Amino acid sequence: MGSGDWSSVVHEFSQLRASHSSPLIKPQGLVDYVPTWQAMQAFTAARNESTPDELWLLEHPPVYTQGQAGKPEHVLNPGAIPIVQIDRGGQVTYHGPGQLVAYLLLDLKRRKLGVRDLVRRMEQSVIDLLADYGIESYGKVDAPGVYVQREGVEAKIAALGLRIRNGYSYHGLSFNVNMDLEPFSRINPCGYAGLAVTQLADFGHIDETPASIAAKLSIKILNSIEAQ
């Protein structure tokens, strides 16, 4: 488990901006949660109609994040892992090394995207990525995220959460690649008691890391959000 070598993919990312309207893709490696969240807020507050969109790809050290409507009873036994109350939608989730996080800082008005449409497109980007690994997955209208069947049990492999401010989005999605899943057992993931959580490594892809698949996911996200 672990993050892999982010430094080796910087050049790869520099080639990924498909068009002038495509988001600037910014790999950041393993970065602390709170400064990154504050940077998203600052970027969104300062941007205007001419500001290019951005897509940030990264990992976080162990942290629980609790959404605006988050209920404290869904945090069961956090131990030494910090809990950060934040401004996205949804309930509590976990971020840690080995999980790829994609933050979508988009002008939804310019892209003519509604929030539900953006959520569906984010889910589709992960579904399309998993299909390349021969893994069937799906979204759920009543419980945003991406789910798979593993040994006959439904399990969540990617979580979504957004904040929209003045028509601009931030936060995004987290995709479990090859990480320690134990901290998920200390919460009700996304507010669902007993929800199983899985990752790409559980399907035999043990050599993949967030760094190794970051460009692949970026392409899927670009394809999804720019589709007509």
Side-chain angles (χ1 to χ4, degrees):
M1 293 180 290
S3 60
D5 183 8
W6 279 91
S7 63
S8 67
V9 300
V10 172
H11 176 72
E12 187 175 12
F13 277 95
S14 71
Q15 308 302 311
L16 275 181
R17 198 177 191 212
S19 70
H20 180 71
S21 65
S22 296
L24 296 168
I25 301 174
K26 296 190 173 181
Q28 300 188 15
L30 181 67
V31 292
D32 288 337
Y33 184 85
V34 170
T36 307
W37 170 39
Q38 293 170 338
M40 285 192 288
Q41 292 177 312
F43 175 88
T44 302
R47 68 178 302 172
N48 57 42
E49 62 275 3
S50 64
T51 304
D53 291 337
E54 296 190 0
L55 174 61
W56 299 357
L57 283 299
L58 49 95
E59 296 172 81
H60 291 304
V63 63
Y64 293 114
T65 63
Q66 179 75 286
Q68 283 185 305
K71 298 179 179 179
E73 59 263 34
H74 292 309
V75 181
L76 307 177
N77 179 27
I81 298 175
I83 305 167
V84 181
Q85 187 76 39
I86 60 170
D87 58 352
R88 61 161 171 78
Q91 300 282 334
V92 65
T93 195
Y94 171 71
H95 299 301
Q99 179 192 72
L100 177 60
V101 179
Y103 289 136
L104 286 77
L105 293 91
L106 307 178
D107 184 336
L108 301 189
K109 294 174 291 186
R110 187 166 63 208
R111 293 184 176 275
K112 298 180 172 60
L113 286 176
V115 178
R116 290 188 179 184
D117 190 19
L118 176 58
V119 168
R120 298 286 86 81
R121 290 169 186 247
M122 290 164 62
E123 291 172 338
Q124 192 61 49
S125 66
V126 177
I127 291 168
D128 291 344
L129 176 66
L130 287 168
D132 288 347
Y133 290 94
I135 301 169
E136 185 177 350
S137 61
Y138 51 92
K140 297 171 70 173
V141 173
D142 59 338
V146 178
Y147 301 81
V148 297
Q149 293 288 327
R150 184 168 180 265
E151 299 176 352
V153 175
E154 182 177 81
K156 196 167 193 175
I157 196 166
L160 279 67
L162 289 169
R163 174 69 188 270
I164 311 299
R165 179 179 292 171
N166 299 324
Y168 304 122
S169 70
Y170 60 103
H171 295 293
L173 67 88
S174 56
F175 175 64
N176 303 332
V177 182
N178 189 357
M179 62 187 299
D180 179 7
L181 296 176
E182 187 276 334
F184 283 105
S185 70
R186 305 189 213 170
I187 59 174
N188 293 330
C190 304
Y192 291 93
L195 176 65
V197 177
T198 191
Q199 58 186 331
L200 186 62
D202 291 338
F203 291 83
H205 302 284
I206 60 174
D207 294 329
E208 296 284 27
T209 67
S212 72
I213 69 165
K216 299 173 188 176
L217 180 61
S218 297
I219 292 169
K220 300 300 186 185
I221 291 173
L222 292 183
N223 290 341
S224 291
I225 66 175
E226 296 185 350
Q228 298 300 313

